[in-house]
Amino acid sequence: MRLWLAVALFALLGLAPSAAAARPIEVRVVIVATWEAEAGGHDFQGELHAWRTQWPLTVSMPFAAGYHDLLLDPKRHVLAVVTGMATARAAASIMALGLDPRFDLSHAYWIVAGTAGVDPKVASAGSVAWSRWVVDGDLAQELDPRDAPPDWPTGIVPYDRTTPYQTPAPPGLSRTANVAFPLNPKLVDWAFARSKATPLPDDALLAKLRAPYAGEGARPPFVLEGEGLMSARNWYGQKLNDWAERWVSYWTDGAGVFAMSAEEDSGILQALTQLGRAGRAKPDRVLVLRAASDYTVPPPGESAAEFLAKETKGGFPATPEALTGLYAVAAPVARFLADDWARTRDTVPGS
């Protein structure tokens, strides 16, 4: 009776806890962007821009422990976070969001939607790939190639091994290091099936970019399934591309195909893995989508150093088209997951 009277008195005085404080917002879909170009309070380009303006995500929420304010669609319960670039910022931002008491993320789907470099053996500039695996390219032992034995194809050696690509590969997920994160294959296949026919932007710039390449790298942009290799180092050139292809195959036991080179996804997956153990996230509800803003190797006749200098000065040339294609592919998938919440809350599509 005393407790009831105290609660009634607090309510009369306007001191009762707010509904928002007592009941976290149940988030259905988290959109994970990694960078945004803003100046003078104006958002003019980036992975968040289309979600802000076209979805639209209209409610801005402070996020002091993160990198950028959060954006929310309160009707569809869709939340967007910008992690900041590279592995460390991405992991820290996702962990901060996962522990934020304002949100219930226990049933949320996570869609990482970012730009990347593409291997021209697999796809072309402007193409968009759903990852089946996320592979870390930084967790390794390394010799400078000038110190490596002449018969080594690379100076990069897997941890707990003494030569490059020594078999068997260590476990992809272990106490020592989490190098290869498998995503839920049924969910990835479902997302790919829903989006593979999405028309992607093509223009004279993309045609000019792909003209020197052959095979898949010369095709107009398309949607595919292909793996992401994550590294905090921006790397260039055919030799490192050969390493990336073999590194992804090595850690996935031949099941993965290197397609996209980016920075953040292994940090995001590491944070979500730990949040999953705490019951704050479901790692089997993660989708990773990357759109090609450039190639990982230079066109024929251009050296790796020349390629690096060109992109350092001029940026990644297919960024506008990649951003447009990224939203075109990801938004319908996010919309389905959010709008069919009566089913998707408890049943993962494709399962």
Side-chain angles (χ1 to χ4, degrees):
M1 179 63 71
R2 289 176 181 174
L3 177 62
W4 184 90
L5 289 172
V7 170
L9 179 60
F10 271 70
L12 287 171
L13 294 174
L15 300 176
S18 68
R23 185 175 300 170
I25 299 168
E26 184 180 43
V27 176
R28 299 174 184 178
V29 180
V30 181
I31 304 300
V32 182
T34 67
W35 66 273
E36 192 68 10
E38 298 172 332
H42 176 60
D43 170 7
F44 59 90
Q45 187 188 56
E47 295 168 357
L48 183 68
H49 184 75
W51 299 97
R52 185 199 298 270
T53 58
Q54 297 180 46
W55 183 270
L57 297 170
T58 56
V59 177
S60 181
M61 304 180 71
F63 188 35
Y67 176 80
H68 186 283
D69 286 352
L70 303 170
L71 291 180
L72 176 70
D73 172 359
K75 292 182 179 180
R76 280 193 162 119
H77 291 237
V78 173
L79 183 71
V81 58
V82 181
T83 63
M85 294 177 68
T87 318
R89 281 179 176 172
S93 293
I94 296 302
M95 184 60 71
L97 176 58
L99 297 176
D100 194 317
R102 295 174 293 177
F103 306 108
D104 175 4
L105 299 162
S106 60
H107 290 82
Y109 293 85
W110 300 74
I111 301 178
V112 181
T115 53
V118 66
D119 185 346
K121 290 183 182 178
V122 177
S124 55
S127 295
V128 182
W130 295 101
S131 296
R132 296 160 298 195
W133 294 79
V134 168
V135 179
D136 190 283
D138 290 333
L139 292 169
Q141 306 171 103
E142 186 172 8
L143 298 179
D144 187 293
R146 293 165 293 187
D147 291 329
D151 60 337
W152 281 20
T154 177
I156 301 172
V157 179
Y159 74 88
D160 200 31
R161 296 294 183 266
T162 58
T163 59
Y165 314 118
Q166 181 183 343
T167 57
L173 303 175
S174 71
R175 286 187 176 184
T176 305
N178 287 342
V179 180
F181 296 87
L183 302 183
N184 181 341
K186 293 181 178 180
L187 179 62
V188 175
D189 288 346
W190 169 83
F192 172 64
R194 288 191 67 87
S195 61
K196 63 183 179 181
T198 304
L200 298 178
D202 194 12
D203 54 26
L205 170 63
L206 291 184
K208 182 179 179 181
L209 283 175
R210 66 177 180 258
Y213 296 91
E216 299 299 285
R219 286 180 57 185
F222 61 98
V223 181
L224 66 147
E225 289 182 310
E227 278 51 78
L229 175 69
M230 302 299 120
S231 173
R233 293 173 290 112
N234 277 350
W235 51 267
Y236 297 85
Q238 187 61 56
K239 288 184 171 58
L240 282 174
N241 201 72
D242 293 343
W243 160 78
E245 292 170 353
R246 197 165 173 184
W247 190 254
V248 168
S249 179
Y250 175 81
W251 282 105
T252 62
D253 195 23
V257 176
F258 168 60
M260 297 287 178
S261 169
E263 298 178 331
E264 297 83 14
D265 301 349
S266 54
I268 292 167
L269 266 294
Q270 180 61 58
L272 289 173
T273 297
Q274 294 177 210
L275 289 168
R277 292 202 296 266
R280 305 282 300 183
K282 290 185 180 295
D284 67 339
R285 297 187 175 206
V286 179
L287 290 165
V288 174
L289 187 67
R290 287 284 177 173
S293 57
D294 66 329
Y295 289 97
T296 55
V297 297
E302 187 174 296
S303 72
E306 290 169 336
F307 190 48
L308 182 153
K310 181 175 69 177
E311 295 210 332
T312 299
K313 294 176 181 178
F316 304 135
T319 295
E321 294 85 352
L323 292 172
T324 299
L326 193 64
Y327 181 78
V329 173
V333 172
R335 192 172 296 115
F336 179 91
L337 293 170
D339 290 351
D340 199 23
W341 194 239
R343 285 187 292 181
T344 57
R345 183 186 187 277
D346 298 310
T347 302
V348 177
S351 63

